[in-house]
Amino acid sequence: MFSQKTLMIVGLIALVAISITVLSLPNGPTGSAPERGSGAMAVTGPFQRAVSATIRFGKGIWRHYFALVSASMENDRLMEALAREKEKNNRYREAVLANKRLRRLLAFKETLAHRVLAAEVIGKDPSPWFKTILIDKGSKDGVSNAMPVVVPEGIVGRVVDTAGHYAKVLLLVDQNSAVDALVQRTRARGIARGGLGGKCLFDYALRKDDIKVGDVVISSGLDRVFPKGLRIGKVAEIVKRNAGIFQDVIIAPFVDFEKLEEVFVILDPVHKPTKGGP
Amino acid sequence: MTFLLNMIIGLALAVFQTALVPRVPVLRGCYDLILPFVIYQGIFRPFGQSVLLTCALGFMMGELSGATVGLYVITYLWVLIAVRWGVRFFHMGNYYLAPLLLVVAVLFENALFGLRVMLHSEAAFDADRLGRMLAGQVGWALISAPLCMMLLNALHHGWAAWISHLSAEKGNGVS
């Protein structure tokens, strides 16, 4: 009926007319574009929101991932720094404690009228049945057998073996150890011997001797090994049996043998009482 | 060469036991760490070499301890002989009996040391303290025996492999 050319021309004119109409239409009373319904928006809206949310989520993950990686790296760095600081702090604390201990040792050294040699404890007896320690000073440092070993708290023991720069010290609480001792208050004499369970026995204390729990026991100096007046321990228990001329006295040593770290070896123990001693 | 390795292990154990164990409170109740080594020698190593090593270890431990000279040597030798006897008659050359052997060895050592102390001291035993000490040592022995054996075996195998590798290299170099 109509040729294709005619249809094209009509269509073109219609399009121009529509364009002119659209362009010439006035705005609404508020100046906004006229409302064109919300159907499309209602349909596409949820999808758009979902897509947007997904993109946001993806972006968030991406961004946070990198943030987390850097946070994790920073965390690692900080943890390392913290560990280093803790270690440093621990070293300082150890140094402070060592300083305190050494000051006490030094103060104690001043009270002794003997030549002493400071030594560090480097090992302990491998068996719980025997009580010895190893120190880092030996025959090459002037240490020899039978020299007394002390700390500010009291007698530690005596040297029983030496080798080069090392020595073995038999502790006061070993059952082979013996110190000629006396009760400070009453001068009652006896032999302080190592017992079991970290205590000492005060052997040969006469029954008639006045000894009370809490009395301080010191070295008498008569064994010519330990100088007179060194503290041994205090009386922890007394048993007076019905028969016999002696009483059983148990001494709790002043020295904590589990915590020994530095000790003094008395190099010239004989014939010199301690400065502040009795 | 294996003897050298054994001496190094023994020395390391002795140092560990005397210098480190007393400073770690949780390890203080531990048994004599040379004992599993002696048991290992008894089960897996030639007798002649084991006797020599056991004597050397016993002497070394005696030097580090306040124990009477020879006490460690005889203790270790008795443990070694008992283990050899057990291996021979019960065919128990494996890890399964290691905890039992170690517990027996620990108790034997303590009995022997206790006897020595009792014979030379008038002090009374503190049963409570003694019981706690033995219980601690036995507990440690039960827990650590298989581990010790496996560790020692791994060390020996590693050492043997290394030595054979060195020998092979040397052989190649010569030829």
Side-chain angles (χ1 to χ4, degrees):
Chain A
M1 198 162 76
F2 299 104
S3 69
Q4 199 178 356
K5 196 176 173 183
T6 312
L7 279 176
M8 244 180 77
I9 291 166
V10 170
L12 199 65
I13 291 167
L15 185 62
V16 170
I18 289 167
S19 299
I20 293 166
T21 309
V22 168
L23 288 169
S24 62
L25 273 176
N27 281 341
T30 57
S32 62
E35 206 166 314
R36 278 162 286 174
S38 55
M41 265 200 308
V43 174
T44 57
F47 293 105
Q48 284 173 325
R49 199 166 60 190
V51 170
S52 298
T54 308
I55 291 169
R56 252 198 327 272
F57 181 67
K59 271 186 177 172
I61 286 179
W62 192 249
R63 217 172 34 238
H64 283 107
Y65 169 72
F66 280 114
L68 279 177
V69 167
S70 67
S72 169
M73 284 165 71
E74 183 153 9
N75 191 34
D76 286 348
R77 266 201 314 274
L78 290 172
M79 292 287 270
E80 267 178 37
L82 184 66
R84 270 200 308 273
E85 291 307 315
K86 271 187 181 169
E87 206 270 326
K88 217 185 273 181
N89 193 27
N90 187 46
R91 270 210 311 266
Y92 290 147
R93 205 175 297 166
E94 270 298 304
V96 169
L97 290 173
N99 193 12
K100 270 186 191 169
R101 277 200 318 272
L102 294 174
R103 274 175 189 279
R104 280 191 66 221
L105 276 176
L106 198 62
F108 172 62
K109 188 182 172 185
E110 300 297 318
T111 68
L112 290 170
H114 305 268
R115 268 194 322 123
V116 292
L117 182 69
E120 200 175 330
V121 177
I122 54 163
K124 289 193 177 174
D125 202 305
S127 170
W129 291 96
F130 307 101
K131 311 287 179 193
T132 57
I133 55 169
L134 299 169
I135 57 173
D136 67 346
K137 296 287 185 295
S139 51
K140 287 187 178 167
D141 305 291
V143 176
S144 60
N145 281 358
M147 281 183 172
V149 179
V150 294
V151 288
E153 288 81 10
I155 292 176
V156 170
R158 67 187 160 93
V159 175
V160 287
D161 201 3
T162 57
H165 292 290
Y166 305 99
K168 186 156 67 179
V169 178
L170 185 73
L171 299 181
L172 179 70
V173 284
D174 189 279
Q175 76 275 358
N176 291 317
S177 189
V179 182
D180 199 294
L182 50 87
V183 175
Q184 195 170 38
R185 184 175 60 86
T186 60
R187 319 311 280 179
R189 270 194 64 202
I191 303 288
R193 288 182 48 218
L196 296 168
K199 299 267 171 64
C200 290
L201 307 172
F202 190 56
D203 284 349
Y204 310 115
L206 293 172
R207 218 179 132 76
K208 62 176 185 176
D209 284 339
D210 174 23
I211 301 174
K212 286 181 183 160
V213 172
D215 276 348
V216 173
V217 179
I218 56 170
S219 56
S220 69
L222 293 174
D223 54 17
R224 299 180 67 81
V225 174
F226 294 93
K228 188 177 182 180
L230 291 174
R231 284 151 52 92
I232 294 174
K234 63 181 175 184
V235 175
E237 198 182 329
I238 301 167
V239 179
K240 284 189 180 177
R241 299 184 196 284
N242 290 331
I245 56 168
F246 302 117
Q247 50 185 324
D248 295 342
V249 180
I250 294 170
I251 308 168
F254 286 125
V255 177
D256 185 349
F257 296 96
E258 292 295 321
K259 292 180 181 167
L260 283 175
E261 287 183 74
E262 292 96 8
V263 294
F264 276 131
V265 182
I266 298 180
L267 300 172
D268 54 348
V270 187
H271 292 308
K272 278 189 180 177
T274 52
K275 277 177 188 169
Chain B
M1 287 298 265
T2 309
F3 189 80
L4 178 70
L5 170 75
N6 287 329
M7 277 313 291
I8 292 170
I9 294 173
L11 193 68
L13 286 171
V15 170
F16 183 81
Q17 198 171 333
T18 52
L20 193 72
V21 169
R23 290 187 168 88
V24 183
V26 74
L27 294 176
R28 265 183 207 159
C30 196
Y31 56 90
D32 179 1
L33 293 174
I34 300 290
L35 283 175
F37 192 40
V38 172
I39 291 171
Y40 177 84
Q41 296 294 321
I43 297 176
F44 297 107
R45 307 297 307 167
F47 187 62
Q49 228 182 68
S50 305
V51 169
L52 202 63
L53 180 77
T54 299
C55 288
L57 290 175
F59 183 73
M60 179 176 72
M61 290 302 278
E63 281 294 297
L64 294 173
S65 167
T68 325
V69 178
L71 187 59
Y72 269 101
V73 175
I74 60 162
T75 305
Y76 292 161
L77 278 177
W78 273 116
V79 169
L80 181 74
I81 289 164
V83 170
R84 291 299 295 192
W85 182 79
V87 168
R88 197 166 163 189
F89 287 95
F90 297 112
H91 305 288
M92 54 185 194
N94 53 45
Y95 298 120
Y96 304 114
L97 283 170
L100 180 71
L101 285 174
L102 188 54
V103 167
V104 172
V106 164
L107 291 175
F108 173 73
E109 186 185 63
N110 277 295
L112 214 58
F113 284 16
L115 186 68
R116 170 69 182 76
V117 170
M118 206 169 67
L119 288 174
H120 294 86
S121 172
E122 289 162 15
F125 281 98
D126 182 347
D128 188 38
R129 198 182 164 97
L130 185 64
R132 264 186 287 129
M133 184 185 86
L134 288 179
Q137 290 194 7
V138 167
W140 271 109
L142 285 172
I143 293 166
S144 60
L147 195 74
C148 287
M149 293 293 148
M150 280 193 278
L151 198 68
L152 289 168
N153 218 18
L155 270 171
H156 277 92
H157 279 120
W159 176 265
W162 186 62
I163 293 291
S164 61
H165 175 72
L166 277 185
S167 307
E169 269 190 356
K170 203 175 173 184
N172 288 339
V174 168
S175 65

